[in-house]
Amino acid sequence: MAAGRGTRMRSSTPKVLHELCGLPMVHWPIRAARAAGAARVIVVTSPGGELDAHLPEGVELAVQPVANGTGGAVAAAAALLGPEETVVVINGDAALITTGPLTALVAAHAAAGAGATVATIHAPDPSGYGRVIRDEHGAVLRIVETRSPGDATEAELAVDEINVGIYAFQGAALHAALPRLRTQNAQGELYLTDVLALVERAAAVDLQDPGLLVGVNDRAELARANETLQRRILDDHMRAGVSVVNPASTVVDAAVVIGQDTVLDAGVVLRGATTIGAGCHVGPQVTLTDCTLGDHVTVRHACGVEATAHDHVSVGPFAYLRPGTVLRERAKAGTFVEIKNSDIGPGAKVPHLSYIGDADVGEGTNLGAATITANYDGRTKHRTTIGRDVRSGVDVSFVAPVTVGDRAVTAAGSVITQDVPAGALGIARARQRNLEDYAPRQDADAQDGSGA
Ligand code: UD1
Ligand code: CA
């Protein structure tokens, strides 16, 4: 269940679309449910349809016409639930749920033969959560909410066993109970938690992991949940053979793939659909978004967006790879280099102080310091095509569209506006002339002038 705009998030974005480790919050319980073997996943949404575009493939949708509480949310999905099915309900903000506790819940529910089973923990600070009320034999009677003063008695408030917002229901028992829910609270809501008092047999399973399961209700809890999920993601990578030098300063989104023996140095941020091969050294201080690196790639102090670097490429320090950059095997993008929408051939080097945009650079070519492609004439972008084994001197501008043939050379300081044939030297700069005795004449002029 997912709808409901979390007012405590203080946001124009629905609560469950706030991101945790690169995924909207609502993706996390869906992933856990699927990993635990859920045959179907139904998401309850609000009528605006704001969530629909942000949900993973294959989920079914049920629209809750008005936000009339968690009971109303499940009632909105009732038509999709078979009486023979075991229905697991997960709050959309139960972002930290994993397969293990879900499996344990369903097993305990089946073993108890219960109509409704709630997952609980004993919370060090239970304030704000629903409390599980048991009779003197330990049988579950009901859940009391504690949101508003007067919701619960002193004795009920003393209970530290809380509802984590995850339940298993026997389909038919749920169908029978939902129409009997009544609003009995200041919020005027139908509480799903009231179902426990309405079924013939209610059960609770203590998941015994207080760190595991808290709903995300504000941005402080969002940050804490993010930390927990981030640590899990990093632990998984480390167990799979990735070294993370300083986990506290490392950010790796959920969908990132990293090969064995790759080292993530301090300050690495890997976002979105980034894929990194084996034996790479990334960092310190590298941010990559939707990038693909092959094996044995080195990236230091750099920023990349939608860029690809093949095996044995070297990037940085202080490089910016923009969308459409492809660095072929053993290529290099060095210090203070920006590359955009360009294909840099195998072994080609852009070592220092360059901007290369909309260019194709052949194998083995070396672009001297401060080589610049002038790819934009004020209206349109044009391509620069540079062949194999070209040597551009320092401070050369290529004014696109322009083509430089294989093994050509361009002289330092040239502004290349015309094609350079293969093997030729292109020089495009004013010839130097020296004015003899210039400084003494300046001095003499200054002395004459001072008496005037
Ligand atoms: C709920 C439980 C509480 C439990 C806590 C655990 C109820 C009445 N209380 O409280 O016992 O301790 O979770 O985190 O269920 N939602 C809808 N439609 C609505 C209202 C809510 O889809 O009309 C969704 C929310 O988006 C959220 C989930 O239901 O995903 C839980 O709602 P929330 O308001 O966060 O419930 P809590 O007050 O946290
Ligand atoms: Ca909540």
Side-chain angles (χ1 to χ4, degrees), residues 41-382:
V41 175
I42 301 161
V43 177
V44 179
T45 64
S46 48
E50 261 174 301
L51 247 58
D52 303 10
H54 303 277
L55 293 171
E57 294 274 301
V59 299
E60 297 168 61
L61 292 179
V63 178
Q64 182 185 13
V66 285
N68 60 342
T70 51
V74 175
L80 298 170
L81 307 173
E84 302 302 322
E85 288 181 300
T86 298
V87 180
V88 174
V89 175
I90 309 176
N91 281 0
D93 61 356
L96 301 182
I97 185 66
T98 53
T99 317
L102 286 178
T103 309
L105 167 66
V106 172
H109 175 70
T117 304
V118 58
T120 71
I121 54 169
H122 288 271
D125 174 15
S127 54
Y129 290 98
R131 310 298 164 81
V132 177
I133 308 303
R134 297 171 182 263
D135 70 11
E136 65 272 26
H137 308 294
V140 175
L141 297 175
R142 63 183 178 278
I143 294 172
V144 292
E145 292 305 314
T146 59
R147 278 189 275 189
S148 310
D151 279 355
T153 65
E154 280 302 315
E156 288 167 340
L157 286 173
V159 172
D160 72 347
E161 185 180 17
I162 64 158
N163 163 23
V164 300
I166 300 169
Y167 321 76
F169 297 101
Q170 198 263 317
L174 183 61
H175 275 293
L178 286 172
R180 296 169 61 204
L181 290 178
R182 296 288 175 267
T183 57
Q184 299 158 329
N185 46 73
Q187 285 78 13
E189 293 185 356
L190 298 172
Y191 286 170
L192 181 63
T193 47
D194 288 344
V195 167
L196 272 88
L198 295 171
V199 297
E200 212 160 286
R201 193 174 157 70
V205 53
D206 180 357
L207 297 177
Q208 299 182 333
D209 189 350
L212 192 64
L213 297 151
V214 280
V216 176
N217 297 302
D218 59 30
R219 295 197 203 219
E221 289 177 351
L222 184 75
R224 243 172 275 140
N226 196 82
E227 257 172 61
T228 303
L229 292 171
Q230 185 61 92
R231 191 61 209 220
R232 279 188 204 157
I233 291 169
L234 293 177
D235 284 352
D236 285 348
H237 284 298
M238 290 188 262
R239 292 203 181 95
V242 176
S243 288
V244 179
V245 173
N246 183 237
S249 69
T250 306
V251 173
V252 176
D253 277 356
V256 171
V257 176
I258 311 174
Q260 200 176 304
D261 287 322
T262 283
V263 177
L264 303 185
D265 216 325
V268 168
V269 178
L270 303 177
R271 294 279 189 205
T274 292
T275 298
I276 295 179
C280 295
H281 194 107
V282 180
Q285 305 302 338
V286 168
T287 302
L288 301 177
T289 305
D290 300 328
C291 286
T292 304
L293 309 188
D295 299 334
H296 305 288
V297 173
T298 303
V299 187
R300 290 173 292 159
H301 296 275
C303 182
V305 181
E306 294 168 40
T308 301
H310 290 266
D311 298 352
H312 298 284
V313 156
S314 163
V315 177
F318 310 112
Y320 181 22
L321 305 181
R322 291 171 50 200
T325 296
V326 178
L327 298 159
R328 305 277 165 189
E329 296 72 28
R330 293 170 285 101
K332 174 177 178 155
T335 312
F336 301 109
V337 166
E338 175 180 346
I339 303 181
K340 185 215 77 171
N341 191 29
S342 293
D343 190 317
I344 309 301
K349 294 189 171 64
V350 190
H352 331 274
L353 301 159
S354 282
Y355 169 64
I356 305 299
D358 304 306
D360 297 289
V361 177
E363 180 168 358
T365 286
N366 187 86
L367 300 181
T371 294
I372 305 287
T373 54
N375 58 323
Y376 186 54
D377 62 12
R379 269 162 292 141
T380 348
K381 304 262 168 69
H382 301 283

